Amino acid sequence: AQKITQTQPGMFVQEKEAVTLDCTYDTSDQSYGLFWYKQPSSGEMIFLIYQGSYDEQNATEGRYSLNFQKARKSANLVISASQLGDSAMYFCAMSVTGANNLFFGTGTRLTVIP
Amino acid sequence: GAVVSQHPSRVICKSGTSVKIECRSLDFQATTMFWYRQFPKQSLMLMATSNEGSKATYEQGVEKDKFLINHASLTLSTLTVTSAHPEDSSFYICSARSGATIANEKLFFGSGTQLSVL
């Protein structure tokens, strides 16, 4: 069975500072993908970043980077230079071979303080 | 990027009525669409997977007679909540996939529908 764990229900960060959102996962599959999505108060799910299990380099997308530690089964999201618009819910998710859908964590609510 | 349009964004209805929610892929053909339900401050729970032209596959615990899913074309899937009750009040969000296998950004989400049943 697949499981995604996000242990931080809420996080605060000062504007312009960096913040790390934690995500650990559990799967017996060797091939899987890890995603981060942002969900603002409007409800839409915005794709941020993706890391494949065989990717050797950590994924980066602008101010977002994914700290992938395969042995620890963690895929933490790092947001650099936080902006007020980053305040939202952030979900970690996983895909595995043979499954159509994504498995989501419970989310972390990030609040950026001016 | 690809766009998935979900309508309506918000609906309030009386108990016992049925509500239809539409999910459209605007600039790609969605071979598979997914319907999720999200309770306040909780994660997304997959309700069902629909493939164009075939019956939807429902997750365990989801009543298929209550949540009717139709995927009549490669660009449209609908979720009908039949005889809605207050406990059906929730945020419903669809997603659509363009490729044969799930990979990075090829899963696109609609903007969600907040259903409130009085």
Side-chain angles (χ1 to χ4, degrees), chain B residues 27-110:
Chain B
D27 54 359
F28 68 99
Q29 293 185 326
T31 54
T32 307
M33 288 188 173
F34 307 92
W35 287 95
Y36 292 87
R37 183 173 181 176
Q38 186 179 25
F39 290 103
K41 300 182 181 180
Q42 294 189 25
S43 187
L44 279 70
M45 301 296 295
L46 180 68
M47 297 175 66
T49 302
S50 72
N51 295 294
E52 184 266 338
S54 63
K55 290 184 178 180
T57 302
Y58 290 81
E59 294 299 302
Q60 192 172 11
V62 178
E63 299 176 59
K64 60 181 180 181
D65 293 331
K66 175 141 190 84
F67 299 100
L68 300 178
I69 291 173
N70 186 287
H71 194 159
S73 75
L74 283 171
T75 60
L76 174 64
S77 177
T78 60
L79 167 67
T80 301
V81 183
T82 62
S83 187
H85 290 283
E87 57 265 30
D88 299 325
S89 299
S90 188
F91 188 72
Y92 294 88
I93 191 166
C94 69
S95 67
R97 194 175 79 206
S98 61
T101 58
I102 193 168
N104 50 8
E105 73 272 20
K106 290 187 174 65
L107 187 65
F108 308 103
F109 283 85

Side-chain angles (χ1 to χ4, degrees), chain A residues 20-84:
Chain A
T20 298
L21 306 183
D22 294 341
C23 173
T24 57
Y25 61 92
D26 191 18
T27 180
S28 57
D29 281 55
Q30 296 301 310
S31 177
Y32 51 88
L34 296 157
F35 304 72
W36 277 93
Y37 284 87
K38 172 184 178 181
Q39 187 180 40
S41 56
S42 58
E44 62 189 303
M45 295 288 283
I46 302 169
F47 166 79
L48 296 179
I49 197 166
Y50 166 83
Q51 178 87 40
S53 58
Y54 293 115
D55 295 342
E56 295 184 352
Q57 302 266 358
N58 284 344
T60 60
E61 290 286 348
R63 295 187 298 110
Y64 305 109
S65 61
L66 199 151
N67 185 0
F68 181 45
Q69 299 195 26
K70 197 170 183 176
R72 293 184 179 181
K73 292 190 174 180
S74 74
N76 298 340
L77 176 70
V78 180
I79 304 174
S80 62
S82 297
Q83 301 171 357
L84 295 178

Side-chain angles (χ1 to χ4, degrees), chain B residues 3-7 22-26 94 109-111:
Chain B
V3 177
V4 174
S5 172
Q6 187 172 341
H7 178 80
E22 292 188 350
C23 182
R24 293 180 184 273
S25 57
L26 297 185
C94 69
F109 283 85
S111 53

